[in-house]
Amino acid sequence: MNELQFLTWVRGTGLNVAVGVFLLGVFWRLIEIYGLGRKKDLSAPRHVAGASGWHTIFRRSIPAQGMLKKSPVGYIGGFAFHIGLAIVVLLFAPHIKLIQSLTGLSWPGLPSQFIDLVAVVTLAAMVVVLADRINKPVKRFLSTFEDWFTWAVTFLPLLTGWLSVRHLLLPYPTMLALHILSVEILLIVLPFTKLFHAFTVFGSRWYNGAVNGHKGVAV
Amino acid sequence: MSASLDKGVRVLKEVIDAPIASYFSSCVHCGLCAEACLFYTETGDPKYTPIHKLEPMRRLYEQEYTLIGRLKKVLGLSKPVTDAELGEWQELVYNSCTLCGRCSLVCPVGNDIVYMVRKFREGMAVSGHAPEGIVEATRRTVSTGSPMGVTMHAVKAQMKHVEEETGISIPLDVEGVEYMVLLSSMEIINFPEYLSAIARIMKHAGKTWTLCSTGFEATNSGIQIGVSDLAKTIVSRIVEGAERLKVKTVISPECGHAYTALRWEGPNLIGRPFTFKVQHIVEVLDELRTQGLLKTEGFETDRLTFHDPCQLARRGGVIQPQRNLINMVAKNFVEMPDAGKMNWCCGGGGGVTAIERAEALRIEAFKKKKSQLEAVKPDRLVTACAVCRTTLEEGLEYYQMNIPVVGLTEIIAEHLPEQGA
């Protein structure tokens, strides 16, 4: 297989397989998790339950009182890399074109120089959070193969994407193909690893907010 | 697999619900929950990271309820949960967790970690891995009516004593009154001033109340150990008593977990909503205050601070009433850092005080409270939980800090206007 055939494969069969596994995987995991249900709470609520679950979905994005000081690298690095990733994935013009070709939806992108800067910052933030994971005794203690692996499959699409835009290291078609391949690996891995928090984070925050809101505690 | 392990696994499979599945699926191993746990912050040992305390339960969840986990199990690639492992986890699930719930407030993905520890204890207890001390306390509660073996005779002796001291008769088993007052063993044995304070406050407010001979004990170690059917037996005594006496409200005493057991877990344990209201004494007093039925005179002038019992504040939603009450009678009230919702546990909740082997660790963890107190240097420490109070007294004694600890209800009672006024 030459480089163009490789590129054609990742853009065709590869992408179809990856998107298929991703969609089925997400669907399956959501059913597997939320299908377990929960018992109704029979205790009288302190207040009418209201929107406490929804509030927590937003509120938890802000560090709890005193926590930023305890783990500045974790919070700032985490913010930088999540926001950076969202900008690069969703606001880079070629990505929007791809999404448009698949779904028909489109929106304005950001200038590519700006995206380039964000990509560099995001890559740096990811290296920093990795270093933090290695350095901090608690994080190192908790880390398993999955933590290192999921870091790598998140880092690689970002790195290869940036290298291909910059035409560095390898010929453009090869680097672009590697970029698409790495995204496909990410898509396949996401539903079955901790990366699935991209979906369950909303459910988890909601449950926590609702259960504690029932008692009158805004969490 | 031993029979008890088999039972434990079965119970764990039953308690794993959608929230737990969502929480385990969301954890990214960021380790921030460690920073919220006083057992980690005071020892620096990563094994006390809250989410790690759930590792056997997480694996069981994965092996039983996820496609990939089941696949790995079939292929022999997963590590089964063993008796030895659960035995090893006893220290993490009981000794070093007071169910204070601080971790649940900081987790960035929103995991309610304490919710999971509470459920994990169900499986631990059934498989025979709950610590001796709490097992004994629960056994005593079921057989004698109280974890400390206090019987109705002891309560009657105290009633008599209070009647002599205050000149107010203590009502017992009176039907149709507004409030049914519960006590904790700790109050019956160590802090008799509580009952005396209640008698004086109720008389002052003109409220009708009663003790109940078949349901006087509020504490419920069944929920601490994690055995729901025992917890149900214990809570049912209160429910039956309250319904027999047709009271409007049951007052949970100055005890944190008793409030959680009755107010939040109670209806779920017995499988139906209560026909009466449950309030912590602090809520009742604040309500009387807003109704103008609780009046005080004079002020404490020394420097007071308040220790929020976890089960009352963070886990119970009662945060402002205690402050309103203290400010009624104190001129010099100061807040500790992190007071209120984010307060640090005394280190004794969740049954930890009943675990002998946990004592050294508990004293170590108390350094957190010590540093909070050193930040405000109070003359006295006020709280509203008998277990907190005992734990605080022990910790203060160990670290040779001369700060007396007082209950909020008794301090309020001391400021009631003179009789007849």
Side-chain angles (χ1 to χ4, degrees), chain B residues 126-175:
Chain B
V126 168
S127 58
H129 294 291
E132 195 85 345
I134 324 185
V135 175
E136 274 304 298
T138 311
R139 194 190 53 74
R140 275 194 300 273
T141 315
V142 171
S143 62
T144 69
S146 115
M148 295 167 85
V150 173
T151 61
M152 193 58 208
H153 297 299
V155 179
K156 279 190 172 153
Q158 197 183 96
M159 285 166 63
K160 205 170 142 197
H161 175 79
V162 171
E163 282 174 347
E164 279 164 12
E165 178 214 321
T166 60
I168 304 170
S169 77
I170 306 293
L172 180 68
D173 291 329
V174 181
E175 265 186 45

Coordinates of all heavy atoms in Angstrom, one line a residue, chain B residues 126-175:
Chain B
V126 N -21.8 -7.9 54.7 CA -22.4 -9.2 54.5 C -21.3 -10.2 54.3 O -21.4 -11.4 54.7 CB -23.3 -9.1 53.2 CG1 -23.7 -10.5 52.8 CG2 -24.5 -8.3 53.6
S127 N -20.1 -9.8 53.7 CA -19.1 -10.8 53.5 C -18.2 -11.0 54.7 O -17.2 -11.6 54.7 CB -18.3 -10.5 52.2 OG -17.7 -9.2 52.4
G128 N -18.6 -10.3 55.8 CA -17.9 -10.5 57.1 C -16.6 -9.7 57.2 O -15.7 -10.0 57.9
H129 N -16.6 -8.6 56.5 CA -15.4 -7.7 56.6 C -15.6 -6.4 57.3 O -14.8 -5.5 57.1 CB -14.8 -7.6 55.2 CG -14.3 -8.9 54.6 ND1 -13.2 -9.5 55.1 CD2 -14.8 -9.7 53.6 CE1 -13.0 -10.6 54.5 NE2 -13.9 -10.7 53.6
A130 N -16.7 -6.3 58.0 CA -16.9 -5.0 58.8 C -16.1 -5.2 60.1 O -15.9 -6.3 60.6 CB -18.3 -4.8 59.1
P131 N -15.5 -4.1 60.6 CA -14.7 -4.1 61.8 C -15.6 -4.6 63.0 O -16.7 -4.2 63.2 CB -14.2 -2.7 62.0 CG -14.5 -2.0 60.8 CD -15.6 -2.7 60.1
E132 N -14.9 -5.3 63.9 CA -15.5 -5.9 65.1 C -16.3 -4.8 65.9 O -17.4 -5.1 66.3 CB -14.3 -6.4 66.0 CG -14.7 -7.3 67.1 CD -14.9 -8.7 66.7 OE1 -14.9 -9.0 65.4 OE2 -14.9 -9.6 67.5
G133 N -15.7 -3.7 66.1 CA -16.3 -2.6 66.9 C -17.7 -2.2 66.5 O -18.6 -2.1 67.3
I134 N -17.8 -2.0 65.2 CA -19.2 -1.5 64.7 C -20.1 -2.7 64.7 O -21.3 -2.6 64.9 CB -19.1 -0.9 63.3 CG1 -17.9 -0.1 63.1 CG2 -20.3 0.0 63.1 CD1 -17.9 0.7 61.8
V135 N -19.6 -3.9 64.4 CA -20.5 -5.1 64.4 C -21.1 -5.2 65.8 O -22.3 -5.5 65.9 CB -19.7 -6.4 64.0 CG1 -20.5 -7.6 64.1 CG2 -19.1 -6.2 62.6
E136 N -20.2 -5.1 66.8 CA -20.7 -5.2 68.2 C -21.7 -4.2 68.5 O -22.8 -4.5 69.1 CB -19.5 -5.1 69.2 CG -18.8 -6.4 69.4 CD -19.7 -7.5 69.9 OE1 -20.3 -7.3 71.0 OE2 -19.9 -8.5 69.2
A137 N -21.4 -2.9 68.1 CA -22.3 -1.8 68.4 C -23.7 -2.1 67.8 O -24.7 -1.8 68.4 CB -21.7 -0.5 67.9
T138 N -23.7 -2.6 66.6 CA -24.9 -2.8 65.9 C -25.7 -4.0 66.6 O -26.9 -3.9 66.8 CB -24.7 -3.2 64.4 OG1 -23.8 -2.2 63.9 CG2 -25.9 -3.2 63.6
R139 N -24.9 -5.0 67.0 CA -25.6 -6.2 67.6 C -26.2 -5.7 68.9 O -27.4 -6.1 69.2 CB -24.5 -7.2 67.9 CG -25.1 -8.6 68.3 CD -24.0 -9.5 68.8 NE -23.2 -8.9 69.9 CZ -23.6 -8.8 71.2 NH1 -24.8 -9.1 71.5 NH2 -22.8 -8.3 72.1
R140 N -25.5 -4.8 69.7 CA -26.1 -4.3 70.9 C -27.4 -3.5 70.7 O -28.3 -3.5 71.4 CB -25.1 -3.5 71.7 CG -24.1 -4.3 72.6 CD -23.4 -3.4 73.6 NE -22.6 -2.4 72.9 CZ -21.3 -2.6 72.5 NH1 -20.7 -3.8 72.7 NH2 -20.7 -1.7 71.8
T141 N -27.3 -2.7 69.6 CA -28.5 -1.9 69.3 C -29.7 -2.7 69.0 O -30.8 -2.5 69.5 CB -28.2 -1.0 68.1 OG1 -27.0 -0.4 68.2 CG2 -29.3 0.1 68.0
V142 N -29.5 -3.8 68.2 CA -30.6 -4.7 67.9 C -31.1 -5.4 69.2 O -32.3 -5.5 69.4 CB -30.2 -5.7 66.8 CG1 -31.3 -6.7 66.6 CG2 -29.9 -4.9 65.5
S143 N -30.2 -5.9 70.0 CA -30.6 -6.7 71.2 C -31.1 -5.8 72.3 O -32.1 -6.1 73.0 CB -29.5 -7.7 71.6 OG -28.4 -7.0 72.0
T144 N -30.4 -4.7 72.6 CA -30.7 -4.0 73.8 C -31.4 -2.6 73.5 O -32.0 -2.0 74.4 CB -29.5 -3.6 74.7 OG1 -28.7 -2.7 74.0 CG2 -28.7 -4.8 75.0
G145 N -31.3 -2.2 72.3 CA -31.9 -0.9 72.0 C -31.0 0.2 71.8 O -31.3 1.3 71.3
S146 N -29.7 0.0 72.1 CA -28.7 1.1 72.0 C -27.3 0.5 71.7 O -27.0 -0.5 72.3 CB -28.8 2.0 73.2 OG -27.5 2.0 73.9
P147 N -26.5 1.3 71.0 CA -25.2 0.7 70.6 C -24.3 0.6 71.9 O -23.3 -0.1 71.9 CB -24.6 1.8 69.6 CG -25.4 3.0 69.9 CD -26.8 2.5 70.3
M148 N -24.6 1.5 72.9 CA -23.7 1.4 74.1 C -24.4 0.6 75.2 O -23.9 0.6 76.3 CB -23.4 2.8 74.6 CG -22.6 3.6 73.6 SD -22.6 5.4 73.9 CE -21.2 5.5 75.1
G149 N -25.4 -0.1 74.8 CA -26.1 -1.0 75.8 C -27.0 -0.2 76.8 O -27.3 -0.8 77.8
V150 N -27.3 1.0 76.4 CA -28.1 1.8 77.3 C -29.6 1.3 77.2 O -30.1 1.1 76.1 CB -28.1 3.3 76.9 CG1 -29.1 4.1 77.7 CG2 -26.7 3.8 77.1
T151 N -30.2 1.0 78.3 CA -31.6 0.5 78.3 C -32.5 1.6 78.8 O -32.1 2.7 79.2 CB -31.8 -0.7 79.2 OG1 -31.5 -0.2 80.6 CG2 -30.9 -1.8 78.9
M152 N -33.8 1.3 78.7 CA -34.9 2.3 79.1 C -34.7 2.6 80.6 O -35.0 3.7 81.0 CB -36.2 1.7 78.8 CG -37.4 2.7 79.0 SD -37.1 4.2 77.9 CE -38.0 5.4 78.8
H153 N -34.1 1.7 81.4 CA -33.9 1.9 82.8 C -32.9 3.1 83.0 O -33.2 4.0 83.8 CB -33.3 0.7 83.5 CG -34.2 -0.5 83.5 ND1 -35.4 -0.4 84.1 CD2 -34.1 -1.7 82.9 CE1 -36.0 -1.6 83.9 NE2 -35.2 -2.4 83.2
A154 N -31.9 3.2 82.2 CA -30.9 4.3 82.2 C -31.6 5.6 81.9 O -31.4 6.6 82.5 CB -29.7 4.0 81.3
V155 N -32.5 5.5 80.8 CA -33.2 6.7 80.4 C -34.1 7.2 81.5 O -34.1 8.4 81.8 CB -34.0 6.5 79.1 CG1 -34.7 7.7 78.7 CG2 -33.1 6.0 78.0
K156 N -34.8 6.3 82.2 CA -35.7 6.6 83.3 C -34.9 7.3 84.4 O -35.4 8.3 85.0 CB -36.5 5.4 83.7 CG -37.6 5.1 82.8 CD -38.6 4.1 83.4 CE -39.8 4.0 82.6 NZ -40.4 2.7 82.6
A157 N -33.7 6.7 84.7 CA -32.9 7.3 85.8 C -32.5 8.7 85.4 O -32.6 9.6 86.3 CB -31.7 6.4 86.0
Q158 N -32.2 8.9 84.1 CA -31.8 10.3 83.8 C -33.0 11.2 83.8 O -32.9 12.4 84.2 CB -31.2 10.3 82.4 CG -30.4 11.6 82.2 CD -29.8 11.7 80.8 OE1 -30.4 12.3 79.9 NE2 -28.6 11.0 80.6
M159 N -34.2 10.7 83.4 CA -35.4 11.5 83.4 C -35.6 12.0 84.8 O -35.9 13.2 85.1 CB -36.6 10.7 82.9 CG -36.6 10.5 81.5 SD -37.9 9.2 81.0 CE -39.4 9.9 81.6
K160 N -35.5 11.1 85.8 CA -35.7 11.4 87.2 C -34.7 12.5 87.6 O -35.1 13.5 88.3 CB -35.5 10.2 88.0 CG -36.3 10.2 89.3 CD -36.3 8.8 89.9 CE -36.2 8.9 91.4 NZ -35.7 7.7 92.1
H161 N -33.5 12.3 87.3 CA -32.4 13.2 87.6 C -32.7 14.6 87.1 O -32.6 15.6 87.8 CB -31.1 12.7 87.0 CG -29.9 13.6 87.2 ND1 -29.3 13.7 88.4 CD2 -29.3 14.4 86.4 CE1 -28.3 14.5 88.3 NE2 -28.3 15.0 87.0
V162 N -33.1 14.7 85.8 CA -33.4 16.0 85.2 C -34.6 16.6 85.8 O -34.7 17.8 86.0 CB -33.6 15.8 83.6 CG1 -34.1 17.1 83.0 CG2 -32.3 15.4 83.0
E163 N -35.6 15.8 86.2 CA -36.8 16.3 86.8 C -36.5 17.0 88.1 O -37.0 18.0 88.5 CB -37.9 15.2 87.0 CG -38.6 14.9 85.7 CD -39.5 13.7 85.8 OE1 -39.4 12.9 86.8 OE2 -40.4 13.5 84.9
E164 N -35.6 16.3 88.9 CA -35.2 16.9 90.1 C -34.4 18.2 89.9 O -34.6 19.1 90.7 CB -34.3 15.9 90.9 CG -35.1 14.8 91.6 CD -34.3 13.6 92.0 OE1 -33.0 13.7 92.0 OE2 -34.9 12.6 92.4
E165 N -33.6 18.2 88.9 CA -32.7 19.3 88.7 C -33.5 20.6 88.2 O -33.3 21.7 88.6 CB -31.6 19.0 87.7 CG -30.7 20.1 87.3 CD -30.3 20.0 85.8 OE1 -30.0 18.9 85.3 OE2 -30.2 21.1 85.2
T166 N -34.5 20.3 87.3 CA -35.2 21.4 86.6 C -36.5 21.7 87.2 O -37.1 22.8 87.0 CB -35.4 21.2 85.1 OG1 -36.2 20.0 85.0 CG2 -34.1 21.0 84.4
G167 N -37.1 20.7 87.9 CA -38.4 20.9 88.4 C -39.5 20.7 87.3 O -40.6 21.1 87.5
I168 N -39.1 20.3 86.2 CA -40.0 20.1 85.0 C -40.2 18.6 84.9 O -39.2 17.8 84.8 CB -39.4 20.7 83.7 CG1 -39.0 22.1 83.9 CG2 -40.4 20.5 82.6 CD1 -38.2 22.7 82.8
S169 N -41.4 18.2 84.7 CA -41.6 16.7 84.6 C -41.4 16.3 83.1 O -41.7 17.1 82.2 CB -43.0 16.3 85.0 OG -44.0 16.6 84.0
I170 N -40.7 15.2 82.9 CA -40.4 14.7 81.6 C -41.4 13.8 81.1 O -41.7 12.7 81.6 CB -39.0 14.0 81.6 CG1 -37.9 14.8 82.3 CG2 -38.6 13.5 80.2 CD1 -37.5 16.0 81.6
P171 N -42.1 14.2 80.0 CA -43.2 13.4 79.5 C -42.7 12.1 78.8 O -41.8 12.1 78.1 CB -44.0 14.3 78.5 CG -43.0 15.4 78.2 CD -42.0 15.4 79.2
L172 N -43.4 11.0 79.1 CA -43.0 9.7 78.5 C -44.3 9.1 77.9 O -45.3 9.0 78.6 CB -42.4 8.8 79.6 CG -42.0 7.4 79.1 CD1 -40.8 7.5 78.1 CD2 -41.6 6.5 80.2
D173 N -44.2 8.7 76.7 CA -45.3 8.0 76.0 C -46.6 8.8 76.0 O -47.7 8.2 76.2 CB -45.5 6.6 76.6 CG -44.3 5.7 76.2 OD1 -43.7 5.8 75.2 OD2 -44.0 4.8 77.1
V174 N -46.5 10.1 75.8 CA -47.7 10.9 75.7 C -48.2 10.9 74.3 O -47.4 11.2 73.4 CB -47.5 12.3 76.3 CG1 -48.8 13.1 76.2 CG2 -46.9 12.2 77.7
E175 N -49.5 10.6 74.1 CA -50.0 10.6 72.7 C -50.4 12.0 72.2 O -50.8 12.9 73.0 CB -51.3 9.7 72.7 CG -51.0 8.3 72.2 CD -52.2 7.5 72.0 OE1 -53.2 8.0 71.4 OE2 -52.2 6.3 72.5

